[in-house]
């Protein structure tokens, strides 16, 4: 018997495929991540992330201009500090003259409200030990102390709010930080500043290149007592649910590609914007495979980014975004 159903009829030509495509990428889907350093006139390529550099605040402004030219409206800022600026209390996290605070003020001055600014809120680039929270001695040994970290994180969020951020983005994974930060913002009159919660953040090997880029590798142990166990998906719904109930305005799943199942499940429990972080290791893998001639970079990038959107993301944080838009890959 001849086939009754013929799905191939809908794939005959590019024109037809385009007309029935379910998923599209637009420049406004992207949040471009940037590493900002506290010196002037510096562009410093990052070995582990080919094509990506750290920028001083003055040169960052040109990159934001470059993004705007392609229709990208959103940037996520990460501060990178020399080891000499770090201590056990993460003092530099609340420096109003730190690289992120300066970048926020300058970017706001130049672009006004034509840009949506996000800032990573975490202590790992400010502590001398590289953990995302403060340490405490206990009878069970040294632990990452949840509640004293909350205070520092909230103070860091306030520093960014005062510098003009749109969304502070806590990535530390301490319990209760979204509610704590929300309250701190509100009490200081920053009711209009939002929170993009890194709600579902796994303890992942795919952050490797980022830690070189930001100089934030922990000096002992790993992040498994605060970041999530990759074996768990129900726990992701719990984490997302908590951040939603604590007042997050958007929630994130991170990493993206190895966790598309989790992204799709979180999609089902929230009406808020859902963000996926296509992290440094995901980027580096495609770059390495392309450099080895193993695959076509343009198609691989398009497919990877499309699959993140198809799985349910509204916004994608990706190191590929600018290059992909400039070269017409998406
Ligand atoms: C800070 C932070 C990390 C990333 C984003 N915010 C590193 C980590 O948790 O170790 C990773 C992003 C990436 O790999 O691109 N805690």
């Amino acid at each position: 018997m001849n086939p009754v159903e013929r799905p191939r009829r809908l794939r005959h030509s590019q024109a037809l495929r385009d007309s029935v495509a379910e998923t599209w990428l637009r420049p406004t889907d992207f949040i471009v991540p940037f590493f900002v350093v506290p010196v002037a006139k510096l562009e410093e390529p990052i070995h582990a992330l080919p094509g990506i550099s750290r920028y001083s605040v003055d040169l960052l402004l040109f990159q934001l201009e470059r993004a705007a030219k392609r229709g990208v409206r959103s940037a996520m800022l990460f501060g990178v500090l020399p080891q000499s600026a770090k201590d056990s209390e993460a003092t530099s996290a609340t420096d109003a003259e730190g690289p992120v605070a300066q970048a926020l003020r300058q970017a706001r001055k130049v672009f006004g409200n034509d840009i949506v600014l996000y800032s990573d809120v975490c202590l790992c680039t400010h502590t001398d030990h590289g953990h995302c929270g403060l340490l405490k001695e206990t009878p069970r040994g040294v632990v990452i102390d949840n509640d004293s970290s909350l205070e520092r994180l909230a103070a860091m969020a306030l520093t960014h709010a005062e510098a003009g951020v749109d969304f502070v983005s806590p990535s530390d994974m301490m319990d209760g930080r979204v509610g704590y930060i929300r309250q701190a913002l509100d009490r200081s009159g920053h009711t209009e500043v939002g929170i993009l919660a890194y709600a579902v953040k796994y303890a992942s090997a795919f952050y490797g290149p980022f830690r070189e880029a930001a100089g934030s590798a922990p000096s002992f142990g790993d992040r498994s007592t605060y970041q999530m166990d990759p074996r768990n998906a129900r726990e992701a719904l719990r984490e997302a649910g908590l951040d939603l109930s604590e007042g997050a305005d958007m929630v994130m799943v991170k990493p993206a590609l190895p966790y598309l199942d989790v992204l799709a499940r979180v999609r089902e429990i929230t009406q808020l914007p859902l963000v996926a972080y296509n992290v440094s290791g995901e980027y580096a893998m495609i770059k390495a495979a392309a450099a080895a001639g193993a695959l076509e970079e343009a198609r691989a990038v398009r497919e990877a980014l499309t699959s993140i959107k198809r799985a349910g993301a509204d916004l994608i944080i990706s190191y590929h975004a600018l290059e992909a838009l400039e070269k017409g890959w998406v």
Side-chain angles (χ1 to χ4, degrees):
M1 198 176 97
N2 292 337
V4 177
E5 292 273 2
R6 292 186 185 272
R8 289 185 55 201
R9 279 191 197 122
L10 296 176
R11 299 183 201 131
H12 172 68
S13 64
Q14 186 71 48
L16 178 55
R17 290 191 294 275
D18 283 349
S19 74
V20 298
E22 300 171 32
T23 310
W24 291 91
L25 291 165
R26 306 165 304 173
T28 47
D29 294 335
F30 296 107
I31 301 174
V32 182
F34 289 106
F35 300 99
V36 197
V37 292
V39 280
K41 298 201 180 347
L42 184 71
E43 170 173 359
E44 202 175 18
I46 301 161
H47 175 75
L49 291 173
I52 305 294
S53 297
R54 302 182 194 92
Y55 295 100
S56 52
V57 173
D58 48 344
L59 298 190
L60 172 74
L61 296 174
F62 289 106
Q63 293 302 312
L64 295 176
E65 184 66 53
R66 182 184 160 205
K69 217 180 271 167
R70 298 292 161 182
V72 175
R73 314 291 287 273
S74 307
M76 168 75 77
L77 304 182
F78 296 92
V80 182
L81 295 174
Q83 197 61 30
S84 59
K86 305 182 185 190
D87 60 26
S88 61
E89 298 302 306
T91 306
S92 57
T94 48
D95 180 3
E97 298 308 318
V100 170
Q102 282 197 38
L104 289 169
R105 281 195 299 270
Q106 294 279 338
R108 190 61 73 203
K109 197 154 73 186
V110 173
F111 300 98
N113 284 320
D114 290 335
I115 190 168
V116 184
L117 294 167
Y118 298 78
S119 65
D120 192 74
V121 170
C122 188
L123 304 184
C124 67
T125 55
H126 302 281
T127 52
D128 49 11
H129 46 72
H131 275 292
C132 302
L134 305 178
L135 304 185
K136 184 171 78 173
E137 292 273 3
T138 76
R140 296 198 296 167
V142 174
V143 301
I144 316 302
D145 185 43
N146 198 86
D147 296 9
S148 61
S149 303
L150 296 183
E151 233 169 277
R152 293 299 297 145
L153 290 162
M156 182 176 184
L158 281 183
T159 306
H160 294 173
E162 268 145 33
V165 79
D166 290 295
F167 291 89
V168 291
S169 312
S171 67
D172 53 285
M173 288 301 278
M174 296 301 123
D175 293 333
R177 87 271 205 227
V178 171
Y180 200 95
I181 291 172
R182 183 69 270 160
Q183 196 168 47
L185 288 170
D186 290 353
R187 282 192 180 146
S188 312
H190 294 293
T191 51
E192 78 294 350
V193 172
I195 300 178
L196 161 58
Y198 283 68
V200 179
K201 180 175 178 181
Y202 287 92
S204 174
F206 294 97
Y207 307 150
F210 177 97
R211 292 180 189 169
E212 184 213 302
S216 65
S219 62
F220 67 91
D222 58 27
R223 305 207 197 286
S224 322
T225 68
Y226 42 105
Q227 298 181 351
M228 287 175 53
D229 187 327
R231 293 173 290 190
N232 297 348
R234 290 194 305 266
E235 188 185 11
L237 303 182
R238 181 184 189 202
E239 282 284 5
L242 286 170
D243 286 2
L244 294 169
S245 70
E246 288 176 31
D249 298 281
M250 306 185 189
V251 288
M252 187 197 300
V253 172
K254 175 187 173 190
L257 295 174
Y259 297 89
L260 292 183
D261 58 325
V262 175
L263 189 62
R265 288 176 70 172
V266 173
R267 175 72 289 170
E268 286 172 11
I269 64 160
T270 182
Q271 281 93 52
L272 297 184
L274 179 57
V275 182
Y277 200 143
N278 177 223
V279 301
S280 58
E282 300 173 51
Y283 172 89
M285 278 198 301
I286 289 185
K287 282 286 177 192
L295 49 70
E296 247 178 86
E297 186 174 0
R299 290 183 56 202
V301 168
R302 186 186 312 134
E303 188 175 330
L305 296 174
T306 301
S307 65
I308 295 168
K309 187 122 187 251
R310 189 194 61 229
D314 297 300
L315 292 164
I316 305 172
I317 305 175
S318 179
Y319 304 94
H320 292 295
L322 279 189
E323 183 180 25
L325 288 164
E326 285 176 347
K327 294 185 176 167
W329 296 348
V330 295

